[in-house]
């Protein structure tokens, strides 16, 4: 939010106003810091490239029990597995579009046991293989 206070000196007043409105609109969509879902996502994201955290480890980091975490996530109409998959899918898409890493490296970076497991998960998430996704979306850059 601190960047919103910087004036765009070369921009027209209308552009500054529209930019500020758009930025505030996007910021309002972000989860709040005290939101449980946001905290779980942050825990998972902090470990991307190191390990995928189990629900037990995330619960420990959030000073709660796995059952309480599960129950509170259910109240938010989501499961730990769905959150974990969302985070992994987001990072997989980024790796595929923004890097030239091979599938084995991407798979390892996302803590999949082997590339075939990553390939199957990515097909489940997107409906296409990682290679097809990469080709289709690299053309849009």
């Amino acid at each position: 939010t601190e960047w919103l206070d910087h004036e765009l000196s070369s921009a027209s007043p209308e552009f500054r106003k529209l930019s500020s409105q758009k930025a505030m609109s996007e910021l309002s969509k972000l989860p709040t810091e005290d939101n449980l879902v946001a905290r779980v996502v942050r825990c998972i994201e902090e470990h991307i490239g190191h390990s995928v955290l189990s629900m037990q480890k995330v619960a420990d980091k959030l000073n709660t029990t796995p059952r309480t975490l599960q129950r509170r996530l259910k109240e938010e109409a989501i499961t730990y597995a769905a959150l974990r998959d969302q985070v992994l899918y987001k990072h997989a898409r980024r790796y595929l579009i923004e890097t030239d890493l091979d599938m084995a490296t991407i798979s390892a970076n996302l803590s999949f046991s082997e590339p075939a497991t990553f390939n199957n998960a990515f097909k489940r998430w997107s409906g296409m293989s990682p290679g097809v996704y990469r080709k289709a979306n690299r053309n849009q850059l």
Side-chain angles (χ1 to χ4, degrees), residues 35-41 43-44 53-81 83:
N35 178 312
L36 175 67
V37 171
R39 291 186 308 171
V40 170
V41 166
C43 283
I44 296 168
L53 293 180
S54 65
M55 186 165 57
Q56 173 69 53
K57 289 182 181 175
V58 170
D60 291 346
K61 288 184 172 293
L62 298 177
N63 297 317
T64 189
T65 65
R67 179 65 186 122
T68 298
L69 177 59
Q70 183 181 35
R71 191 173 54 252
R72 290 183 61 207
L73 287 173
K74 185 176 181 181
E75 290 169 4
E76 299 287 331
I78 196 155
T79 64
Y80 176 78
L83 284 176

Side-chain angles (χ1 to χ4, degrees), residues 80-91:
Y80 176 78
L83 284 176
R84 183 197 60 225
D85 283 353
Q86 286 175 11
V87 171
L88 291 173
Y89 182 46
K90 177 181 115 178
H91 285 273

